[in-house]
Amino acid sequence: NGQTEKLALSAAVGAVQGRALIRLRRIPDDASDSNEAAVRMRKEYVAPAEADIVGADAVILAASPDTSVLSASWQDFLNMLLRLRSEGKLSRKVGASIGGLSPALSGLGFLSVTELSNDPLALGRSVAEMARSLKTS
């Protein structure tokens, strides 16, 4: 219904305020959902690719609060992250999440933002600032 998109966009604005360059991606969902927001988002966003993750200094995952790590729509993406972790490609990358995927993020080897916020805007800024400080150190 677009609620998770609003959270993701707010985090993106915070990251931009923190002087980050961003890319918004969307996990493909069940194509049988035909509400207006879902149809629009399928047209506007592409799925995340390995190159997006490898090229990023930070990743923020946004999901609805009831999303589980066992959710079928997230399995391919989470499996890709597990593979990238085992290949050492997630080291020194900052990670944060909004919604129900926090448990998955903690096991992937991302560096976590120490001051997590319930405000997506503040979270986006914190992630951008942490990634920038790691890059300059």
Side-chain angles (χ1 to χ4, degrees):
N1 65 11
Q3 292 304 310
T4 303
E5 180 188 32
K6 289 177 186 173
L7 295 173
L9 290 172
S10 184
V13 168
V16 169
Q17 289 174 346
R19 300 188 325 234
L21 299 174
I22 65 162
R23 291 183 186 173
L24 291 170
R25 300 293 188 246
R26 183 172 182 273
I27 300 297
D29 61 358
D30 179 9
S32 67
D33 189 0
S34 61
N35 74 55
E36 186 177 318
V39 171
R40 175 189 53 79
M41 288 186 286
R42 281 188 207 107
K43 292 177 186 175
E44 291 181 4
Y45 299 104
V46 298
E50 181 175 330
D52 295 317
I53 305 302
V54 171
D57 295 323
V59 175
I60 300 175
L61 303 180
S64 65
D66 61 336
T67 299
S68 163
V69 296
L70 302 175
S71 170
S73 60
W74 281 87
Q75 282 304 298
D76 288 340
F77 180 72
L78 293 173
N79 287 337
M80 177 181 62
L81 291 179
L82 286 168
R83 181 177 50 78
L84 291 173
R85 181 198 65 190
S86 70
E87 294 171 359
K89 295 181 179 178
L90 299 182
S91 64
R92 294 194 52 89
K93 292 190 186 294
V94 179
S97 67
I98 300 166
L101 292 176
S102 294
L105 196 65
S106 65
L108 291 171
F110 285 105
L111 301 171
S112 297
V113 175
T114 54
E115 293 182 29
L116 288 178
S117 171
N118 288 333
D119 175 13
L121 188 73
L123 179 65
R125 273 195 303 267
S126 296
V127 168
E129 290 165 4
M130 184 176 176
R132 191 175 52 260
S133 71
L134 281 171
K135 202 168 186 169
T136 60
S137 65

